[in-house]
Amino acid sequence: MNDASKSLIDFFKGWPNPSLLPAAQIKRASDSVLSNPSVSTPALLYGPDPGYEPLREQIAQWLTKFYTPKEIIPPSRICITGGASQNMACVLQVYSDPIYTRNVWMVAPTYYLACRIFEDAGFYGKLRDIPEDEEGIELAHLKKEMNKSEQKAKAEGNNKPTLKPSRQWSKIYRHIIYAVPTFANPSSKTMTMRRRQELIRIAREYDALVITDDVYDFLQWPTATTSQQLSLDKAVLPRLVDVDRQLDGGPKMAKLDGFGNAISNGSFSKIVGPGCRTGWAEGTEKFVHGLSQTIRGSSRSGGAPSQLTATFITELLRTGNLQDHILRTLQPTYARRYRKMILAIDEHLVPLGVMISQSGREVVGGYFIWFSLPKPLRAEEVAATAKDTENLIISPGPAFRVDKAMFESEIRVCFSWEKEEKLSEGIQRLANVIRNLLDSGSNPLSFEI
């Protein structure tokens, strides 16, 4: 029975706490835009295919400062989207064919809502999981399975796209790979530089498009709980799209077609607010042009996505208010939240046999912590018991499965949503559940959910 005297603690919801939403800054930005007809008029009309040009320019400058690539990022590599999820659907519309594109390979555990996007694009039954190790995606497994997929396609005569017309500004990739390389949801892992380079080489070899959700990159801080530093203004690693741009001569090599093999899916949901429904995509100029035509095809009567909101965010970036919000509010606040939760885990869960992945990193970030339960406990049993007896909501590992891997012993907890003063208490409640189940000799075979 649920203890009614205990208030709900929600470690499931991957949202920003309302106290972190920059409402005052957005109000100032919107007032500035709407009081200036030279800006408000285009803001309220249909926008150009690649999106609001001043925002593309601001994003290009901002990303160049943060990721410090060897070459500056020009606006021509950027197009404005309606957010990371909407953009993924648009990418699939023009760059995949549910028959010719052999499979979608997803780093597992995966962001579970991404599965629905791929299935809605015609890939139901074609999603395949690729496990992670301490460096990220296991590339030997990926390459072995892609070889099998190619052999199957050859045997079936699947050698050209059948459902999409040939267009000069697009192409159809043979494979799609999906990953969250930095501070992943749910595993919170960060893919090493070596794996990033190797993944790009494999993508080129097998004509694969790597779609990366780079939505947590700006939310980062030093791992050490004793560090006085709570924010970082430079990226911990280059993105896959940066690696693709430079590695071995980049997409402009004669043997490649210029579209590239990686696209960065960016979003303002985690750093402004989910309600703004605005994001960006970065890729080669050729790829971004094709993507802008996709958006045009699916929403031609509505113009560029998020045109009005794009003008507000442009003002946030132009004035430096967004950059200041990230460095002075978001990063320090999430660093404190993470440290409170990780200290509670070390004190209350680790002695019970819980193990945390990638514990040796110097920089961490994102919204989540992922850990393994002591045997023989099952995540679904622990989650159900936590809700029933402690009024605590957590995410069991099987929710993040793709194909075969079940993650029956893993748990994801989120530190971004719940009140900061509730984080330690929630972990203590979880410790009560784990301890009681271990003491009772929990039989994992007897539990069904």
PDB file of all heavy atoms in Angstrom, residues 32-65:
ATOM      1  N   SER A  32      10.984  43.274 -27.323  1.00  0.00           N
ATOM      2  CA  SER A  32      11.881  43.909 -28.283  1.00  0.00           C
ATOM      3  C   SER A  32      11.469  43.594 -29.716  1.00  0.00           C
ATOM      4  O   SER A  32      11.433  44.476 -30.583  1.00  0.00           O
ATOM      5  CB  SER A  32      13.316  43.462 -28.029  1.00  0.00           C
ATOM      6  OG  SER A  32      14.200  43.987 -28.997  1.00  0.00           O
ATOM      7  N   VAL A  33      11.152  42.319 -29.966  1.00  0.00           N
ATOM      8  CA  VAL A  33      10.757  41.902 -31.311  1.00  0.00           C
ATOM      9  C   VAL A  33       9.445  42.549 -31.727  1.00  0.00           C
ATOM     10  O   VAL A  33       9.327  43.123 -32.819  1.00  0.00           O
ATOM     11  CB  VAL A  33      10.637  40.360 -31.375  1.00  0.00           C
ATOM     12  CG1 VAL A  33       9.907  39.926 -32.646  1.00  0.00           C
ATOM     13  CG2 VAL A  33      12.008  39.711 -31.290  1.00  0.00           C
ATOM     14  N   LEU A  34       8.443  42.468 -30.878  1.00  0.00           N
ATOM     15  CA  LEU A  34       7.103  42.907 -31.264  1.00  0.00           C
ATOM     16  C   LEU A  34       6.948  44.424 -31.282  1.00  0.00           C
ATOM     17  O   LEU A  34       5.969  44.941 -31.832  1.00  0.00           O
ATOM     18  CB  LEU A  34       6.071  42.278 -30.319  1.00  0.00           C
ATOM     19  CG  LEU A  34       5.997  40.752 -30.395  1.00  0.00           C
ATOM     20  CD1 LEU A  34       5.051  40.205 -29.337  1.00  0.00           C
ATOM     21  CD2 LEU A  34       5.575  40.283 -31.782  1.00  0.00           C
ATOM     22  N   SER A  35       7.906  45.138 -30.708  1.00  0.00           N
ATOM     23  CA  SER A  35       7.861  46.597 -30.752  1.00  0.00           C
ATOM     24  C   SER A  35       8.640  47.168 -31.926  1.00  0.00           C
ATOM     25  O   SER A  35       8.686  48.387 -32.119  1.00  0.00           O
ATOM     26  CB  SER A  35       8.405  47.181 -29.439  1.00  0.00           C
ATOM     27  OG  SER A  35       9.762  46.826 -29.260  1.00  0.00           O
ATOM     28  N   ASN A  36       9.242  46.299 -32.722  1.00  0.00           N
ATOM     29  CA  ASN A  36      10.049  46.732 -33.872  1.00  0.00           C
ATOM     30  C   ASN A  36       9.441  46.150 -35.148  1.00  0.00           C
ATOM     31  O   ASN A  36       9.636  44.972 -35.448  1.00  0.00           O
ATOM     32  CB  ASN A  36      11.487  46.249 -33.707  1.00  0.00           C
ATOM     33  CG  ASN A  36      12.404  46.734 -34.818  1.00  0.00           C
ATOM     34  OD1 ASN A  36      11.953  47.267 -35.843  1.00  0.00           O
ATOM     35  ND2 ASN A  36      13.698  46.540 -34.636  1.00  0.00           N
ATOM     36  N   PRO A  37       8.691  46.944 -35.931  1.00  0.00           N
ATOM     37  CA  PRO A  37       8.011  46.419 -37.123  1.00  0.00           C
ATOM     38  C   PRO A  37       8.944  45.762 -38.130  1.00  0.00           C
ATOM     39  O   PRO A  37       8.540  44.840 -38.837  1.00  0.00           O
ATOM     40  CB  PRO A  37       7.342  47.663 -37.718  1.00  0.00           C
ATOM     41  CG  PRO A  37       7.182  48.597 -36.563  1.00  0.00           C
ATOM     42  CD  PRO A  37       8.381  48.365 -35.697  1.00  0.00           C
ATOM     43  N   SER A  38      10.208  46.218 -38.181  1.00  0.00           N
ATOM     44  CA  SER A  38      11.128  45.608 -39.146  1.00  0.00           C
ATOM     45  C   SER A  38      11.448  44.161 -38.791  1.00  0.00           C
ATOM     46  O   SER A  38      11.884  43.381 -39.646  1.00  0.00           O
ATOM     47  CB  SER A  38      12.422  46.424 -39.230  1.00  0.00           C
ATOM     48  OG  SER A  38      13.163  46.325 -38.016  1.00  0.00           O
ATOM     49  N   VAL A  39      11.220  43.799 -37.521  1.00  0.00           N
ATOM     50  CA  VAL A  39      11.420  42.421 -37.077  1.00  0.00           C
ATOM     51  C   VAL A  39      10.083  41.704 -36.914  1.00  0.00           C
ATOM     52  O   VAL A  39       9.926  40.550 -37.331  1.00  0.00           O
ATOM     53  CB  VAL A  39      12.200  42.377 -35.747  1.00  0.00           C
ATOM     54  CG1 VAL A  39      12.401  40.929 -35.292  1.00  0.00           C
ATOM     55  CG2 VAL A  39      13.535  43.075 -35.884  1.00  0.00           C
ATOM     56  N   SER A  40       9.100  42.380 -36.335  1.00  0.00           N
ATOM     57  CA  SER A  40       7.819  41.720 -36.044  1.00  0.00           C
ATOM     58  C   SER A  40       7.051  41.355 -37.302  1.00  0.00           C
ATOM     59  O   SER A  40       6.343  40.337 -37.318  1.00  0.00           O
ATOM     60  CB  SER A  40       6.960  42.612 -35.146  1.00  0.00           C
ATOM     61  OG  SER A  40       6.629  43.828 -35.791  1.00  0.00           O
ATOM     62  N   THR A  41       7.180  42.159 -38.354  1.00  0.00           N
ATOM     63  CA  THR A  41       6.434  41.844 -39.582  1.00  0.00           C
ATOM     64  C   THR A  41       6.896  40.527 -40.204  1.00  0.00           C
ATOM     65  O   THR A  41       6.076  39.632 -40.428  1.00  0.00           O
ATOM     66  CB  THR A  41       6.544  42.998 -40.591  1.00  0.00           C
ATOM     67  OG1 THR A  41       5.966  44.170 -40.019  1.00  0.00           O
ATOM     68  CG2 THR A  41       5.805  42.659 -41.885  1.00  0.00           C
ATOM     69  N   PRO A  42       8.196  40.350 -40.478  1.00  0.00           N
ATOM     70  CA  PRO A  42       8.614  39.030 -40.989  1.00  0.00           C
ATOM     71  C   PRO A  42       8.391  37.905 -39.986  1.00  0.00           C
ATOM     72  O   PRO A  42       8.165  36.761 -40.373  1.00  0.00           O
ATOM     73  CB  PRO A  42      10.096  39.208 -41.312  1.00  0.00           C
ATOM     74  CG  PRO A  42      10.533  40.410 -40.558  1.00  0.00           C
ATOM     75  CD  PRO A  42       9.335  41.297 -40.459  1.00  0.00           C
ATOM     76  N   ALA A  43       8.425  38.240 -38.699  1.00  0.00           N
ATOM     77  CA  ALA A  43       8.209  37.210 -37.676  1.00  0.00           C
ATOM     78  C   ALA A  43       6.802  36.633 -37.759  1.00  0.00           C
ATOM     79  O   ALA A  43       6.587  35.459 -37.453  1.00  0.00           O
ATOM     80  CB  ALA A  43       8.448  37.792 -36.288  1.00  0.00           C
ATOM     81  N   LEU A  44       5.846  37.460 -38.162  1.00  0.00           N
ATOM     82  CA  LEU A  44       4.443  37.041 -38.211  1.00  0.00           C
ATOM     83  C   LEU A  44       4.002  36.603 -39.599  1.00  0.00           C
ATOM     84  O   LEU A  44       2.827  36.272 -39.799  1.00  0.00           O
ATOM     85  CB  LEU A  44       3.552  38.184 -37.708  1.00  0.00           C
ATOM     86  CG  LEU A  44       3.713  38.499 -36.209  1.00  0.00           C
ATOM     87  CD1 LEU A  44       3.072  39.834 -35.861  1.00  0.00           C
ATOM     88  CD2 LEU A  44       3.121  37.385 -35.364  1.00  0.00           C
ATOM     89  N   LEU A  45       4.923  36.584 -40.564  1.00  0.00           N
ATOM     90  CA  LEU A  45       4.625  36.114 -41.914  1.00  0.00           C
ATOM     91  C   LEU A  45       5.299  34.758 -42.149  1.00  0.00           C
ATOM     92  O   LEU A  45       5.949  34.204 -41.277  1.00  0.00           O
ATOM     93  CB  LEU A  45       5.110  37.147 -42.938  1.00  0.00           C
ATOM     94  CG  LEU A  45       4.359  38.491 -42.930  1.00  0.00           C
ATOM     95  CD1 LEU A  45       5.010  39.479 -43.888  1.00  0.00           C
ATOM     96  CD2 LEU A  45       2.894  38.285 -43.290  1.00  0.00           C
ATOM     97  N   TYR A  46       5.115  34.207 -43.358  1.00  0.00           N
ATOM     98  CA  TYR A  46       5.753  32.939 -43.704  1.00  0.00           C
ATOM     99  C   TYR A  46       7.257  33.125 -43.812  1.00  0.00           C
ATOM    100  O   TYR A  46       7.732  34.108 -44.367  1.00  0.00           O
ATOM    101  CB  TYR A  46       5.204  32.407 -45.031  1.00  0.00           C
ATOM    102  CG  TYR A  46       3.725  32.144 -45.019  1.00  0.00           C
ATOM    103  CD1 TYR A  46       2.858  32.885 -45.817  1.00  0.00           C
ATOM    104  CD2 TYR A  46       3.190  31.149 -44.212  1.00  0.00           C
ATOM    105  CE1 TYR A  46       1.492  32.638 -45.803  1.00  0.00           C
ATOM    106  CE2 TYR A  46       1.829  30.895 -44.192  1.00  0.00           C
ATOM    107  CZ  TYR A  46       0.983  31.648 -44.989  1.00  0.00           C
ATOM    108  OH  TYR A  46      -0.367  31.406 -44.971  1.00  0.00           O
ATOM    109  N   GLY A  47       8.004  32.128 -43.288  1.00  0.00           N
ATOM    110  CA  GLY A  47       9.451  32.229 -43.288  1.00  0.00           C
ATOM    111  C   GLY A  47      10.086  31.476 -44.440  1.00  0.00           C
ATOM    112  O   GLY A  47       9.447  30.639 -45.092  1.00  0.00           O
ATOM    113  N   PRO A  48      11.372  31.716 -44.710  1.00  0.00           N
ATOM    114  CA  PRO A  48      12.087  31.032 -45.796  1.00  0.00           C
ATOM    115  C   PRO A  48      12.334  29.564 -45.462  1.00  0.00           C
ATOM    116  O   PRO A  48      12.300  29.154 -44.305  1.00  0.00           O
ATOM    117  CB  PRO A  48      13.401  31.807 -45.883  1.00  0.00           C
ATOM    118  CG  PRO A  48      13.602  32.370 -44.511  1.00  0.00           C
ATOM    119  CD  PRO A  48      12.230  32.680 -43.986  1.00  0.00           C
ATOM    120  N   ASP A  49      12.607  28.784 -46.487  1.00  0.00           N
ATOM    121  CA  ASP A  49      12.758  27.334 -46.329  1.00  0.00           C
ATOM    122  C   ASP A  49      13.736  26.929 -45.229  1.00  0.00           C
ATOM    123  O   ASP A  49      13.410  26.073 -44.402  1.00  0.00           O
ATOM    124  CB  ASP A  49      13.175  26.683 -47.654  1.00  0.00           C
ATOM    125  CG  ASP A  49      12.091  26.782 -48.710  1.00  0.00           C
ATOM    126  OD1 ASP A  49      10.930  27.059 -48.349  1.00  0.00           O
ATOM    127  OD2 ASP A  49      12.405  26.584 -49.894  1.00  0.00           O
ATOM    128  N   PRO A  50      14.945  27.479 -45.178  1.00  0.00           N
ATOM    129  CA  PRO A  50      15.895  27.032 -44.142  1.00  0.00           C
ATOM    130  C   PRO A  50      15.648  27.646 -42.778  1.00  0.00           C
ATOM    131  O   PRO A  50      16.343  27.304 -41.822  1.00  0.00           O
ATOM    132  CB  PRO A  50      17.258  27.461 -44.693  1.00  0.00           C
ATOM    133  CG  PRO A  50      17.004  28.444 -45.762  1.00  0.00           C
ATOM    134  CD  PRO A  50      15.563  28.390 -46.137  1.00  0.00           C
ATOM    135  N   GLY A  51      14.665  28.541 -42.675  1.00  0.00           N
ATOM    136  CA  GLY A  51      14.374  29.152 -41.390  1.00  0.00           C
ATOM    137  C   GLY A  51      14.863  30.586 -41.300  1.00  0.00           C
ATOM    138  O   GLY A  51      15.512  31.107 -42.212  1.00  0.00           O
ATOM    139  N   TYR A  52      14.552  31.219 -40.190  1.00  0.00           N
ATOM    140  CA  TYR A  52      14.840  32.629 -39.958  1.00  0.00           C
ATOM    141  C   TYR A  52      16.344  32.879 -40.026  1.00  0.00           C
ATOM    142  O   TYR A  52      17.102  32.360 -39.209  1.00  0.00           O
ATOM    143  CB  TYR A  52      14.275  33.022 -38.604  1.00  0.00           C
ATOM    144  CG  TYR A  52      14.319  34.492 -38.272  1.00  0.00           C
ATOM    145  CD1 TYR A  52      13.729  35.446 -39.101  1.00  0.00           C
ATOM    146  CD2 TYR A  52      14.935  34.927 -37.100  1.00  0.00           C
ATOM    147  CE1 TYR A  52      13.758  36.794 -38.781  1.00  0.00           C
ATOM    148  CE2 TYR A  52      14.965  36.272 -36.758  1.00  0.00           C
ATOM    149  CZ  TYR A  52      14.382  37.200 -37.599  1.00  0.00           C
ATOM    150  OH  TYR A  52      14.400  38.537 -37.275  1.00  0.00           O
ATOM    151  N   GLU A  53      16.774  33.656 -41.000  1.00  0.00           N
ATOM    152  CA  GLU A  53      18.199  33.837 -41.271  1.00  0.00           C
ATOM    153  C   GLU A  53      18.968  34.435 -40.090  1.00  0.00           C
ATOM    154  O   GLU A  53      20.071  33.944 -39.758  1.00  0.00           O
ATOM    155  CB  GLU A  53      18.398  34.707 -42.519  1.00  0.00           C
ATOM    156  CG  GLU A  53      19.849  34.944 -42.897  1.00  0.00           C
ATOM    157  CD  GLU A  53      20.598  33.688 -43.339  1.00  0.00           C
ATOM    158  OE1 GLU A  53      19.933  32.687 -43.697  1.00  0.00           O
ATOM    159  OE2 GLU A  53      21.840  33.692 -43.313  1.00  0.00           O
ATOM    160  N   PRO A  54      18.458  35.454 -39.403  1.00  0.00           N
ATOM    161  CA  PRO A  54      19.218  35.963 -38.256  1.00  0.00           C
ATOM    162  C   PRO A  54      19.452  34.916 -37.164  1.00  0.00           C
ATOM    163  O   PRO A  54      20.504  34.931 -36.512  1.00  0.00           O
ATOM    164  CB  PRO A  54      18.343  37.116 -37.737  1.00  0.00           C
ATOM    165  CG  PRO A  54      17.603  37.592 -38.943  1.00  0.00           C
ATOM    166  CD  PRO A  54      17.309  36.342 -39.720  1.00  0.00           C
ATOM    167  N   LEU A  55      18.512  34.003 -36.967  1.00  0.00           N
ATOM    168  CA  LEU A  55      18.733  32.946 -35.981  1.00  0.00           C
ATOM    169  C   LEU A  55      19.787  31.965 -36.472  1.00  0.00           C
ATOM    170  O   LEU A  55      20.639  31.511 -35.685  1.00  0.00           O
ATOM    171  CB  LEU A  55      17.436  32.207 -35.663  1.00  0.00           C
ATOM    172  CG  LEU A  55      17.559  31.082 -34.621  1.00  0.00           C
ATOM    173  CD1 LEU A  55      18.175  31.602 -33.323  1.00  0.00           C
ATOM    174  CD2 LEU A  55      16.214  30.428 -34.349  1.00  0.00           C
ATOM    175  N   ARG A  56      19.767  31.637 -37.750  1.00  0.00           N
ATOM    176  CA  ARG A  56      20.804  30.753 -38.291  1.00  0.00           C
ATOM    177  C   ARG A  56      22.184  31.369 -38.082  1.00  0.00           C
ATOM    178  O   ARG A  56      23.145  30.669 -37.733  1.00  0.00           O
ATOM    179  CB  ARG A  56      20.553  30.492 -39.766  1.00  0.00           C
ATOM    180  CG  ARG A  56      19.255  29.733 -40.056  1.00  0.00           C
ATOM    181  CD  ARG A  56      18.939  29.698 -41.536  1.00  0.00           C
ATOM    182  NE  ARG A  56      19.925  28.927 -42.274  1.00  0.00           N
ATOM    183  CZ  ARG A  56      20.268  29.175 -43.534  1.00  0.00           C
ATOM    184  NH1 ARG A  56      19.726  30.199 -44.200  1.00  0.00           N
ATOM    185  NH2 ARG A  56      21.156  28.411 -44.137  1.00  0.00           N
ATOM    186  N   GLU A  57      22.295  32.687 -38.265  1.00  0.00           N
ATOM    187  CA  GLU A  57      23.569  33.369 -38.076  1.00  0.00           C
ATOM    188  C   GLU A  57      23.992  33.342 -36.609  1.00  0.00           C
ATOM    189  O   GLU A  57      25.161  33.072 -36.293  1.00  0.00           O
ATOM    190  CB  GLU A  57      23.452  34.820 -38.566  1.00  0.00           C
ATOM    191  CG  GLU A  57      23.248  34.936 -40.075  1.00  0.00           C
ATOM    192  CD  GLU A  57      22.907  36.360 -40.508  1.00  0.00           C
ATOM    193  OE1 GLU A  57      22.704  37.225 -39.612  1.00  0.00           O
ATOM    194  OE2 GLU A  57      22.833  36.603 -41.730  1.00  0.00           O
ATOM    195  N   GLN A  58      23.045  33.607 -35.703  1.00  0.00           N
ATOM    196  CA  GLN A  58      23.369  33.607 -34.281  1.00  0.00           C
ATOM    197  C   GLN A  58      23.765  32.214 -33.802  1.00  0.00           C
ATOM    198  O   GLN A  58      24.723  32.059 -33.024  1.00  0.00           O
ATOM    199  CB  GLN A  58      22.177  34.125 -33.472  1.00  0.00           C
ATOM    200  CG  GLN A  58      21.910  35.610 -33.606  1.00  0.00           C
ATOM    201  CD  GLN A  58      23.008  36.454 -32.983  1.00  0.00           C
ATOM    202  OE1 GLN A  58      23.671  36.048 -32.026  1.00  0.00           O
ATOM    203  NE2 GLN A  58      23.207  37.640 -33.533  1.00  0.00           N
ATOM    204  N   ILE A  59      23.045  31.194 -34.244  1.00  0.00           N
ATOM    205  CA  ILE A  59      23.370  29.827 -33.845  1.00  0.00           C
ATOM    206  C   ILE A  59      24.758  29.437 -34.344  1.00  0.00           C
ATOM    207  O   ILE A  59      25.551  28.832 -33.612  1.00  0.00           O
ATOM    208  CB  ILE A  59      22.308  28.843 -34.370  1.00  0.00           C
ATOM    209  CG1 ILE A  59      20.989  29.031 -33.604  1.00  0.00           C
ATOM    210  CG2 ILE A  59      22.777  27.399 -34.240  1.00  0.00           C
ATOM    211  CD1 ILE A  59      19.832  28.215 -34.149  1.00  0.00           C
ATOM    212  N   ALA A  60      25.075  29.793 -35.591  1.00  0.00           N
ATOM    213  CA  ALA A  60      26.384  29.453 -36.160  1.00  0.00           C
ATOM    214  C   ALA A  60      27.508  30.068 -35.334  1.00  0.00           C
ATOM    215  O   ALA A  60      28.516  29.403 -35.036  1.00  0.00           O
ATOM    216  CB  ALA A  60      26.456  29.917 -37.615  1.00  0.00           C
ATOM    217  N   GLN A  61      27.365  31.325 -34.937  1.00  0.00           N
ATOM    218  CA  GLN A  61      28.390  31.985 -34.122  1.00  0.00           C
ATOM    219  C   GLN A  61      28.490  31.343 -32.735  1.00  0.00           C
ATOM    220  O   GLN A  61      29.590  31.114 -32.216  1.00  0.00           O
ATOM    221  CB  GLN A  61      28.050  33.475 -33.980  1.00  0.00           C
ATOM    222  CG  GLN A  61      28.094  34.253 -35.280  1.00  0.00           C
ATOM    223  CD  GLN A  61      27.584  35.672 -35.116  1.00  0.00           C
ATOM    224  OE1 GLN A  61      27.550  36.224 -34.016  1.00  0.00           O
ATOM    225  NE2 GLN A  61      27.161  36.277 -36.225  1.00  0.00           N
ATOM    226  N   TRP A  62      27.354  31.078 -32.144  1.00  0.00           N
ATOM    227  CA  TRP A  62      27.288  30.488 -30.795  1.00  0.00           C
ATOM    228  C   TRP A  62      27.915  29.096 -30.767  1.00  0.00           C
ATOM    229  O   TRP A  62      28.723  28.777 -29.890  1.00  0.00           O
ATOM    230  CB  TRP A  62      25.819  30.458 -30.404  1.00  0.00           C
ATOM    231  CG  TRP A  62      25.432  29.798 -29.138  1.00  0.00           C
ATOM    232  CD1 TRP A  62      25.965  29.987 -27.893  1.00  0.00           C
ATOM    233  CD2 TRP A  62      24.367  28.852 -28.979  1.00  0.00           C
ATOM    234  NE1 TRP A  62      25.290  29.225 -26.964  1.00  0.00           N
ATOM    235  CE2 TRP A  62      24.310  28.523 -27.605  1.00  0.00           C
ATOM    236  CE3 TRP A  62      23.444  28.276 -29.844  1.00  0.00           C
ATOM    237  CZ2 TRP A  62      23.367  27.613 -27.106  1.00  0.00           C
ATOM    238  CZ3 TRP A  62      22.510  27.397 -29.347  1.00  0.00           C
ATOM    239  CH2 TRP A  62      22.481  27.061 -27.995  1.00  0.00           C
ATOM    240  N   LEU A  63      27.573  28.250 -31.751  1.00  0.00           N
ATOM    241  CA  LEU A  63      28.136  26.901 -31.808  1.00  0.00           C
ATOM    242  C   LEU A  63      29.636  26.935 -32.071  1.00  0.00           C
ATOM    243  O   LEU A  63      30.390  26.109 -31.542  1.00  0.00           O
ATOM    244  CB  LEU A  63      27.431  26.082 -32.894  1.00  0.00           C
ATOM    245  CG  LEU A  63      25.933  25.809 -32.705  1.00  0.00           C
ATOM    246  CD1 LEU A  63      25.403  24.958 -33.858  1.00  0.00           C
ATOM    247  CD2 LEU A  63      25.647  25.134 -31.371  1.00  0.00           C
ATOM    248  N   THR A  64      30.085  27.880 -32.903  1.00  0.00           N
ATOM    249  CA  THR A  64      31.515  27.993 -33.183  1.00  0.00           C
ATOM    250  C   THR A  64      32.290  28.298 -31.904  1.00  0.00           C
ATOM    251  O   THR A  64      33.354  27.710 -31.648  1.00  0.00           O
ATOM    252  CB  THR A  64      31.768  29.087 -34.234  1.00  0.00           C
ATOM    253  OG1 THR A  64      31.135  28.725 -35.472  1.00  0.00           O
ATOM    254  CG2 THR A  64      33.264  29.266 -34.477  1.00  0.00           C
ATOM    255  N   LYS A  65      31.759  29.179 -31.062  1.00  0.00           N
ATOM    256  CA  LYS A  65      32.430  29.522 -29.806  1.00  0.00           C
ATOM    257  C   LYS A  65      32.429  28.345 -28.832  1.00  0.00           C
ATOM    258  O   LYS A  65      33.399  28.129 -28.110  1.00  0.00           O
ATOM    259  CB  LYS A  65      31.746  30.730 -29.165  1.00  0.00           C
ATOM    260  CG  LYS A  65      31.975  32.034 -29.894  1.00  0.00           C
ATOM    261  CD  LYS A  65      31.264  33.190 -29.198  1.00  0.00           C
ATOM    262  CE  LYS A  65      31.481  34.501 -29.933  1.00  0.00           C
ATOM    263  NZ  LYS A  65      30.739  35.623 -29.278  1.00  0.00           N
TER     264      LYS A  65
END
